[in-house]
Amino acid sequence: MGPDVPLLNDYKQEFFLKRFPQTLLGGPRFKLGYCAPPYIYVNQIILFLTPWLWGGVGTLLYQLGVMQGLCTAALSGGLMFVTALALQMANLYAKQKTVTVERMQIQNTLTDEDEFEFSSCVGSETVKFIIPGKKYIINTVFHSLLAGVLCGLGTWYLLPNRITLLYSNIGGTVVIFVFGWVTICIGEYSLIINTATETATFQALDTYEITALMRPFYIFVFIAVDLAHRFAVNTPILEQTNQILHILFLFLPFLWAMGILPPLDALFLWGMEQLLEFGLGGSPMSSNTKLLVMFLISAGTAIASYFIPSPLGVILFMTGFGFILSLNLSEIGFAFKHTMISHLASSKAKNAHRALRLQFGWREFIFYVTVLAFALTEASLLHQFAGSSSSSQGRPQAIASYILILLLVMMWILREIQRVYLFGVFRNPFYPKDVRTVAVFMEKQRRLMKVGVVRRILLTLVSPFAMIAFLSLDHSLQNLHSVSVSIGFTRMFRMVWQNTENALLDMVVVSAAQMMVVDPDLWWNRSLDTGIKLLLVGLLRDRLLQLLSKLHFAMAILLTSWTEKKQRRSSSAALIALNAAFFPVLLALVAVSALLSSPLLPLFTLPVFLVGFPRPLRSWPGPAGGAACVCPDTVYYRQLVPGLAAALQAALAAGGLGLSLPGSHYLCRFQDRLMWILVLEKGFTYCGVNIKGLELQETSCHAAEAHRVDEIFEMAFEHQEHTRILSPNPHFGHILTPCTVVPVRLYSDARNVLSGIIDSHENLKHLKDDFVKVLVWMLVQYCYKKSKTWESPGSANRNKQESFPENQHSGAVKGCRALREEDSFSVDTVEDWTDDSDIFDFEPSSRTRDRKDAGHLGLTPKVHLSIPGSIETQSQDFLQEMSPEDKLNRTVVLGLPAVDKGKQPEVLPRVEFSCSYSELLSIPEEWRTAPVPSSKVSEMRQRFPEEWYHFVLSQLDFFHLQEKPSSLLTELMEDQALKELYILGVLSCCFGLFGLDNAVPAPRHVFRAYTGGIPWSAGLDWLTGKPELFQLALKAFRYTFKLMLDKASLGPVENFRELVNYLEGYESDWYIGLVSDLEWQQAVLQEKPYLFSLGHDPSMGIYTGRVLTLQELLVQVGKLNAEAVRGQWANLSWELLYATNDDEERYSIQAHPALLRNLTVQAADPPLGYPVYSSQLLQLPLF
């Protein structure tokens, strides 16, 4: 589609124009889209201004000196509480009245979907429309009480005398008073009357009506600062803050409407995440529960450290808990739980537990205990040394600083040379050039793997102990510690293990600052201890990196809106000019977004930027892997994810993926598969990731962006032999930067056109003969495997004798007739037949006895009429005794419907085998009843491959038989009865699949036979009635077709041994079927080495073959700009949850090769995105 596709379609534009004013004003609906009575609007205006009315009464009494400020607040709040409760009761009464007397309404599909019919000013429909009410009774009371408190405190907050004391300006007082009450009215209306849909929406559903509390909460925050200023004495900072917030209070409706202020759930999750990471030294978590638990434990640790009186005890406490909390506690708890269960359970449960592969075992436990012991020993000894050597107070820490600088440089170099591009700009001369095959790549990467091991040791063992030495030698820990010391050093003693690379960078920066700033009276040295310095540097580092990433994202949108022709809209030039003219404003927006750690939201992904509301780094409220749009392609991702996780584990540990932090995004590509990786949490020797799989059925937008991804990776990894050393990255500035390739065991997908093979007359001519051979082998193998469940030939004979008693040794036709006579359908006389009778009911067995009894008693026999098409059940003597009138009646009733008798079981004559062991290979009786002419049986005897049949029998070993004659195989080959059974079985299958015609099958018939979609025939009807035989025949035909392809490509089969090898290979290493089969998905998960499927393209009229081959191949990995992803996800959330713009052809989902917009939308969590696979949290050990 063109670039000027509408951002919103006409219906959504009208919907948005109705919703946004409602959001801006807090809930009143003044734009309905249809004609409503004037009192609807008047009632909403009155309810909107009601808080101002009660507040105005209190304010007037206060200004007249009748009441004090606190009493004024109580009066206004009480009046508002009563009003709110009365309104909610009115809603409940209106609902009850409507339920009691409900008028039948006819839905008119031509009218607007939200149109109401109003009867009066205070009618039930009017009340329900204006005041929707609360879902829960508790919220009815709680929200009413909260509305009263809000009105009372708001009255106190906006008292004119109080505002005049703050600003000493009458004009400013009037403005703040008027617009401040507008803000309070908006908050009150949203709380108690009708909750507006917020632009800042985090959850798709508001189950517990939390959205109504959002605006009052922010009003309470402003009022809380004012209350603190009222009761605090001589606090200039609070006074200045209060002055600023009174002005900012007027802009709260604008901030709410723009979606800058987060909803309460997102606010608390974001706040806990920020405090955990930057205040307590932890890491963001993969779920809300883990985040809450870890935050409480970490906060408790910081608080407990403050109350430890001994400096040495504080050091040991911080070091020990910092190390323990940085471990993967959920995995350790899981392993401990299963260990306890295994000790308490039975031996069977113990064995089952041992089969589990846990990432935490005794080896890891001993390693962690050893590291903890060394860390505690080092911290205590160095702390004692620093306290005893007072003469050289700063010298030992300075030595540790130089060691840290050296470690930072070494680790930085060792990390960068693991990637294909240095800094993402210049090609790495040490990176292997030929990375097309796994063997060559692994051979060339051995040097880099050794470098990765060195870096892993430095990162895991050397750097943490060096940083503990730096912290333990700090003089701030020698004296009585304060709150700042407890917070700062608790954070750093944990961050040393939790986020080693960033902690090392922060310490180097602080060390360098201490070396350069030698003035002891400077604010940096006088007022801040080392822990707070590290906290500020860490916060500044994070915000600076976010600022650079957001600027990169903003510049990419601005430039590509013009340079990419397909993104060049008619408004692009104007938008670029506005951004250039107001560039300082753009920089301010980016800076505010980085400061709040919130996404930079490009509206409709155009160069129109807003500050999104702060939210957790994972961007979505649910846990990782909670949902996915499962489809048949999901199975390929389920198969490759374990191998990909193992490969990522090695790459992350070696540094091949760069600096991987929580919130980092990676994109992996192999053939038509795209894997999206999100780092959720990280700690000491572990990293938690979520892997998503994107759809394989490429749309035009998906294909355009996937093509750009392939182009970027090809330029990085496959076109290196002709490039110069340190050549620049040709795609620098793209949000995707190639990192490395990793070997993964997965399926390669090859598709071939079968023209010239499937339509070859020569190949098709041999198809039937090969099918007979394959079917003989298949039947023999089936019977042989089934014989292993039998105890001995004697038991088989006994079973046969039970099935065929001696009195049933008559011919097949006579036995069949006997069964038909016993189970025939018949009806009673015409007199007994009514409309309620079912002519297809089985005749009761007592009916024959009644008929015989009637004959013996000399009564007139009833006329029994058979269903046409069935075999007559009455004897000739009885027919002769019938009167002409009875015969006439019988003729008339012959018009009854016919009944299909083909399902009747037949009794076959017992087969006499010359070898007693032939029973083991005997074909089941029901497989010998195919309705084939005897001439075809004779013809099959001539076509039957007897030599092949003997060769197949000669390959059987019968090891499961304890006692067997030495000439067993010879006797089986000479048993003509057994051969006749196989001839009949093969003929039955050929009759079902090919019919009685001996013509060469056409390609279309071959395809339909392969897929099991053969047109109906009598033979197919019989064959499908034997499901097990039909599946064997279908499997044999598919093997035959694959054999035909192999013979056409590899040459003819030389001998029987080679043919058996082909068939055994198909049986053990291949799945030959259809992609749509359930067995295909099971074969992929079982990791069958090869899979084959036949397809047909009706538009081109060609047949295709698809082969999946399981092998270790190279998967390309690139790092995405995390802020570009978060920004596009923020726009997606706004566009779908607020603007409800779910048009599949909307502008913001169209292909954007520079931003990978379509792929980014796919990778979002459902219901906004649609990944076909999403893994649970994968814990990757990094050591």
Side-chain angles (χ1 to χ4, degrees):
M1 300 185 67
D4 284 316
V5 60
L7 303 177
L8 290 170
N9 58 38
D10 294 338
Y11 172 75
K12 294 299 181 182
Q13 288 179 17
E14 182 181 356
F15 175 81
F16 179 78
L17 292 177
K18 288 190 295 184
R19 170 170 279 191
F20 187 74
Q22 181 184 353
T23 302
L24 183 62
L25 296 176
R29 288 181 275 189
F30 295 133
K31 184 176 177 60
L32 301 180
Y34 56 91
C35 184
Y39 56 77
I40 295 296
Y41 305 102
V42 174
N43 287 349
Q44 292 185 85
I45 293 173
I46 292 174
L47 292 175
F48 181 81
L49 297 177
T50 298
W52 199 348
L53 174 63
W54 300 137
V57 171
T59 302
L60 182 61
L61 294 176
Y62 174 79
Q63 293 297 115
L64 294 176
V66 177
M67 301 180 70
Q68 296 297 323
L70 191 59
C71 297
T72 299
L75 176 63
S76 300
L79 292 173
M80 189 63 215
F81 169 68
V82 173
T83 304
L85 200 59
L87 292 173
Q88 294 301 315
M89 293 301 106
N91 173 265
L92 292 175
Y93 175 75
K95 287 182 178 178
Q96 185 178 6
K97 182 179 179 181
T98 307
V99 170
T100 305
V101 181
E102 186 173 359
R103 183 176 61 181
M104 183 70 69
Q105 295 184 357
I106 301 176
Q107 181 69 26
N108 186 0
T109 58
L110 299 179
T111 59
D112 200 328
E113 58 185 10
D114 59 355
E115 184 172 342
F116 287 79
E117 293 183 4
F118 305 105
S119 57
S120 65
C121 180
V122 291
S124 59
E125 291 295 334
T126 304
V127 173
K128 289 195 301 180
F129 172 76
I130 297 177
I131 312 171
K134 306 296 180 181
K135 291 189 291 185
Y136 306 106
I137 298 297
I138 188 173
N139 283 342
T140 299
V141 179
F142 175 66
H143 290 185
S144 299
L145 180 62
L146 200 62
V149 175
L150 180 62
C151 184
L153 292 178
T155 303
W156 204 15
Y157 184 72
L158 293 175
L159 288 175
N161 288 351
R162 178 66 179 169
I163 301 174
T164 304
L165 287 176
L166 284 175
Y167 298 100
S168 302
N169 187 298
I170 299 300
T173 300
V174 173
V175 172
I176 291 176
F177 179 79
V178 172
F179 288 99
W181 269 109
V182 171
T183 300
I184 292 179
C185 289
I186 290 175
E188 290 277 13
Y189 199 98
S190 179
L191 174 64
I192 202 66
I193 308 297
N194 181 28
T195 304
T197 304
E198 299 290 351
T199 51
T201 303
F202 189 55
Q203 299 273 2
L205 297 175
D206 184 21
T207 306
Y208 302 105
E209 298 176 313
I210 300 176
T211 306
L213 303 176
M214 172 185 165
R215 301 192 183 201
F217 172 81
Y218 287 106
I219 295 176
F220 279 126
V221 170
F222 282 72
I223 294 175
V225 175
D226 181 71
L227 292 176
H229 177 222
R230 285 175 187 267
F231 296 106
V233 181
N234 296 327
T235 51
I237 296 179
L238 272 178
E239 182 178 0
Q240 294 174 4
T241 304
N242 198 16
Q243 290 175 348
I244 295 172
L245 290 183
H246 266 77
I247 297 175
L248 189 61
F249 189 76
L250 311 182
F251 294 94
L252 274 180
F254 173 78
L255 298 177
W256 288 327
M258 291 294 102
I260 298 175
L261 297 178
L264 297 185
D265 48 357
L267 175 66
F268 286 109
L269 291 174
W270 170 81
M272 283 193 297
E273 190 176 85
Q274 294 293 306
L275 287 174
L276 179 62
E277 184 175 2
F278 300 104
L280 301 170
S283 164
M285 292 287 118
S286 59
S287 67
N288 300 336
T289 304
K290 292 180 66 175
L291 177 62
L292 177 61
V293 172
M294 185 57 70
F295 174 77
L296 294 177
I297 295 175
S298 303
T301 302
I303 294 171
S305 67
Y306 176 74
F307 294 98
I308 299 177
S310 169
L312 180 60
V314 171
I315 290 286
L316 294 177
F317 182 82
M318 290 179 176
T319 304
F321 270 89
F323 175 79
I324 292 172
L325 292 179
S326 68
L327 299 177
N328 189 1
L329 296 181
S330 60
E331 184 69 23
I332 294 175
F334 178 77
F336 178 76
K337 173 184 174 183
H338 279 269
T339 302
M340 296 302 297
I341 292 176
S342 67
H343 284 297
L344 298 176
S346 61
S347 58
K348 181 177 180 180
K350 290 182 181 180
N351 294 334
H353 169 63
R354 292 192 188 102
L356 294 174
R357 175 66 181 99
L358 296 177
Q359 296 177 358
F360 186 83
W362 285 109
R363 186 185 66 175
E364 288 79 7
F365 177 76
I366 294 173
F367 171 73
Y368 289 148
V369 170
T370 305
V371 172
L372 177 59
F374 275 104
L376 293 174
T377 304
E378 180 196 17
S380 59
L381 292 177
L382 290 179
H383 178 72
Q384 295 289 351
F385 172 76
S388 61
S389 58
S390 58
S391 59
S392 56
Q393 192 172 11
R395 192 169 181 181
Q397 193 175 25
I399 296 174
S401 300
Y402 287 114
I403 295 175
L404 293 180
I405 294 173
L406 179 62
L407 283 173
L408 177 65
V409 174
M410 291 177 60
M411 288 181 56
W412 172 73
I413 294 174
L414 295 179
R415 184 186 70 204
E416 286 299 319
I417 64 175
Q418 297 284 333
R419 305 168 63 190
V420 66
Y421 287 117
L422 300 174
F423 316 109
V425 181
F426 301 105
R427 188 177 300 279
N428 181 6
F430 301 101
Y431 196 84
K433 289 187 176 182
D434 189 0
V435 293
R436 301 188 184 186
T437 60
V438 178
V440 175
F441 173 74
M442 297 302 293
E443 180 68 25
K444 293 186 177 182
Q445 205 195 21
R446 284 184 178 178
R447 291 177 296 175
L448 292 182
M449 292 174 65
K450 296 177 182 178
V451 171
V453 172
V454 174
R455 179 186 176 276
R456 191 182 311 179
I457 295 174
L458 293 177
L459 178 65
T460 308
L461 297 176
V462 180
S463 296
F465 285 103
M467 287 187 283
I468 289 177
F470 176 84
L471 295 174
S472 301
L473 293 171
D474 192 82
H475 62 87
S476 301
L477 294 173
Q478 301 298 327
N479 307 320
L480 291 176
H481 53 279
S482 60
V483 175
S484 62
V485 171
S486 296
I487 293 175
F489 280 91
T490 300
R491 171 183 178 272
M492 283 312 300
F493 271 108
R494 178 176 178 180
M495 193 174 174
V496 160
W497 308 100
Q498 190 90 48
N499 195 344
T500 306
E501 293 184 83
N502 281 342
L504 183 60
L505 176 61
D506 295 346
M507 287 191 187
V508 168
V509 171
V510 171
S511 302
Q514 288 180 349
M515 294 176 186
M516 292 184 292
V517 181
V518 294
D519 186 3
D521 296 328
L522 194 65
W523 168 80
W524 176 263
N525 289 330
R526 186 185 70 254
S527 303
L528 300 177
D529 58 69
T530 304
I532 298 300
K533 290 177 185 177
L534 290 169
L535 190 152
L536 294 177
V537 169
L539 187 62
L540 181 63
R541 165 190 48 78
D542 179 78
R543 297 310 192 250
L544 184 60
L545 290 177
Q546 285 197 38
L547 178 66
L548 296 177
S549 296
K550 291 181 191 327
L551 280 175
H552 176 203
F553 175 47
M555 290 299 103
I557 291 182
L558 272 172
L559 296 177
T560 56
S561 65
W562 184 260
T563 57
E564 294 276 348
K565 291 184 178 180
K566 292 186 177 181
Q567 308 302 323
R568 192 181 301 170
R569 298 172 60 88
S570 57
S571 59
S572 295
L575 291 176
I576 293 174
L578 286 174
N579 278 277
F582 295 96
F583 190 70
V585 177
L586 175 61
L587 285 180
L589 289 175
V590 174
V592 170
S593 176
L595 186 63
L596 296 175
S597 187
S598 61
L600 181 67
L601 191 155
L603 200 62
F604 298 105
T605 64
L606 292 172
V608 179
F609 299 101
L610 300 175
V611 178
F613 65 87
R615 66 199 80 191
L617 275 178
R618 63 181 185 271
S619 296
W620 310 111
C629 303
V630 179
C631 69
D633 295 335
T634 303
V635 67
Y636 303 111
Y637 291 109
R638 290 181 60 192
Q639 181 274 326
L640 69 86
V641 159
L644 179 61
L648 290 175
Q649 170 186 336
L652 285 168
L657 301 184
L659 183 61
S660 58
L661 301 173
S664 299
H665 294 261
Y666 296 92
L667 187 66
C668 302
R669 177 69 166 171
F670 176 76
Q671 289 186 351
D672 57 351
R673 272 149 281 183
L674 281 164
M675 290 72 73
W676 193 285
I677 302 169
L678 171 60
V679 180
L680 294 169
E681 57 186 66
K682 195 172 183 183
F684 182 62
T685 67
Y686 88 95
C687 181
V689 301
N690 166 242
I691 301 179
K692 295 177 182 175
L694 306 188
E695 62 182 358
L696 304 185
Q697 301 296 329
E698 296 185 352
T699 61
S700 58
C701 298
H702 181 105
E705 295 183 357
H707 177 71
R708 178 63 62 88
V709 172
D710 291 336
E711 181 183 340
I712 293 173
F713 281 136
E714 286 175 5
M715 291 296 295
F717 299 115
E718 298 182 9
H719 297 161
Q720 295 188 6
E721 58 273 8
H722 302 298
T723 56
R724 294 176 287 106
I725 298 177
L726 295 178
S727 59
N729 179 4
H731 294 279
F732 177 72
H734 197 276
I735 70 165
L736 177 65
T737 302
C739 292
T740 186
V741 293
V742 292
V744 181
R745 185 173 174 81
L746 44 67
Y747 282 101
S748 63
D749 194 347
R751 304 171 190 244
N752 302 308
V753 177
L754 302 182
S755 300
I757 299 178
I758 193 174
D759 52 0
S760 170
H761 182 77
E762 188 68 22
N763 292 336
L764 296 175
K765 186 172 64 174
H766 293 93
L767 183 68
K768 278 191 175 182
D769 294 335
D770 290 338
F771 173 69
V772 172
K773 293 181 180 179
V774 174
L775 188 58
V776 168
W777 181 83
M778 196 84 66
L779 290 174
V780 171
Q781 294 297 320
Y782 170 83
C783 296
Y784 176 68
K785 291 177 182 178
K786 197 171 182 181
S787 70
K788 292 182 179 180
T789 62
W790 293 3
E791 296 178 1
S792 64
S795 63
N797 290 332
R798 288 192 298 270
N799 294 335
K800 290 289 181 178
Q801 291 171 3
E802 292 175 1
S803 301
F804 299 96
E806 293 296 333
N807 58 358
Q808 294 183 1
H809 285 176
S810 56
V813 179
K814 181 178 179 181
C816 182
R817 178 173 295 277
L819 283 176
R820 289 175 178 172
E821 289 179 357
E822 182 181 354
D823 296 334
S824 61
F825 294 105
S826 62
V827 296
D828 289 337
T829 58
V830 179
E831 294 84 4
D832 295 336
W833 184 51
T834 64
D835 292 338
D836 296 331
S837 301
D838 189 354
I839 63 172
F840 296 103
D841 284 343
F842 286 100
E843 183 181 1
S845 58
S846 62
R847 188 170 298 174
T848 306
R849 293 193 300 269
D850 295 341
R851 186 166 58 237
K852 291 181 180 179
D853 294 341
H856 286 297
L857 295 175
L859 300 177
T860 305
K862 296 182 179 179
V863 180
H864 291 267
L865 306 174
S866 298
I867 305 295
S870 65
I871 299 177
E872 183 58 58
T873 61
Q874 296 168 335
S875 63
Q876 295 294 329
D877 295 336
F878 183 77
L879 289 176
Q880 292 175 359
E881 295 174 358
M882 292 174 59
S883 64
E885 183 180 356
D886 293 335
K887 292 182 180 180
L888 177 61
N889 291 337
R890 182 175 182 274
T891 305
V892 173
V893 184
L894 284 177
L896 293 174
V899 173
D900 183 12
K901 301 294 289 186
K903 299 295 183 182
Q904 297 294 334
E906 298 182 7
V907 177
L908 299 176
R910 182 180 180 184
V911 179
E912 297 292 342
F913 295 110
S914 61
C915 175
S916 59
Y917 287 88
S918 296
E919 291 283 354
L920 299 175
L921 299 181
S922 175
I923 293 177
E925 295 90 353
E926 63 270 15
W927 293 6
R928 314 174 200 164
T929 59
V932 292
S934 57
S935 60
K936 290 297 178 181
V937 177
S938 302
E939 184 179 339
M940 178 53 69
R941 287 195 186 98
Q942 299 176 0
R943 291 177 50 199
F944 188 75
E946 189 169 350
E947 294 182 2
W948 166 251
Y949 168 71
H950 291 164
F951 181 81
V952 172
L953 291 179
S954 67
Q955 303 301 307
L956 305 179
D957 46 36
F958 290 100
F959 287 151
H960 58 282
L961 298 181
Q962 297 179 357
E963 299 179 0
K964 58 180 180 180
S966 58
S967 60
L968 172 60
L969 295 179
T970 304
E971 294 178 5
L972 289 175
M973 295 179 194
E974 295 175 352
D975 194 333
Q976 294 298 319
L978 181 63
K979 188 180 80 169
E980 287 294 325
L981 290 183
Y982 278 95
I983 291 174
L984 187 59
V986 170
L987 177 60
S988 301
C989 295
C990 291
F991 175 55
L993 293 181
F994 298 106
L996 298 176
D997 191 7
N998 291 329
V1000 176
R1004 179 176 179 81
H1005 184 85
V1006 171
F1007 174 75
R1008 299 184 72 171
Y1010 184 94
T1011 59
I1014 307 173
W1016 183 91
S1017 64
L1020 181 64
D1021 185 61
W1022 176 88
L1023 186 60
T1024 52
K1026 316 294 182 294
E1028 198 170 7
L1029 179 60
F1030 177 71
Q1031 291 300 323
L1032 276 178
L1034 184 61
K1035 186 178 180 180
F1037 185 83
R1038 291 174 175 177
Y1039 282 14
T1040 306
F1041 183 83
K1042 184 64 176 66
L1043 179 64
M1044 182 185 74
L1045 296 183
D1046 291 343
K1047 288 167 61 177
S1049 57
L1050 303 177
V1053 177
E1054 299 294 336
N1055 48 50
F1056 290 158
R1057 180 71 262 172
E1058 185 178 355
L1059 180 56
V1060 169
N1061 291 338
Y1062 270 115
L1063 298 179
E1064 290 178 348
Y1066 297 157
E1067 189 72 21
S1068 59
D1069 299 336
W1070 286 79
Y1071 175 77
I1072 302 174
L1074 297 175
V1075 177
S1076 57
D1077 292 342
L1078 179 61
E1079 292 81 2
W1080 178 280
Q1081 299 187 19
Q1082 295 173 351
V1084 171
L1085 295 178
Q1086 294 168 4
E1087 294 195 338
K1088 279 274 189 179
Y1090 307 98
L1091 291 89
F1092 174 82
S1093 175
L1094 178 63
H1096 177 58
D1097 187 353
S1099 60
M1100 301 183 64
I1102 58 175
Y1103 297 92
T1104 57
R1106 182 181 182 185
V1107 178
L1108 299 185
T1109 305
L1110 183 65
Q1111 53 188 324
E1112 194 172 40
L1113 298 166
L1114 295 176
V1115 175
Q1116 301 154 338
V1117 186
K1119 189 173 186 179
L1120 294 161
N1121 184 333
E1123 293 305 322
V1125 176
R1126 293 184 67 204
Q1128 293 182 73
W1129 280 356
N1131 171 72
L1132 176 67
S1133 178
W1134 177 87
E1135 198 171 346
L1136 292 186
L1137 296 181
Y1138 181 75
T1140 65
N1141 187 24
D1142 56 353
D1143 187 358
E1144 294 183 355
E1145 298 298 331
R1146 62 185 183 272
Y1147 172 76
S1148 60
I1149 204 175
Q1150 300 298 315
H1152 196 311
L1155 297 179
L1156 304 181
R1157 184 168 56 194
N1158 186 269
L1159 298 181
T1160 305
V1161 169
Q1162 288 185 48
D1165 278 10
L1168 305 185
Y1170 46 97
V1172 300
Y1173 173 81
S1174 182
S1175 71
Q1176 299 294 326
L1177 177 67
L1178 300 176
Q1179 307 281 7
L1180 307 182
L1182 302 182
F1183 186 76

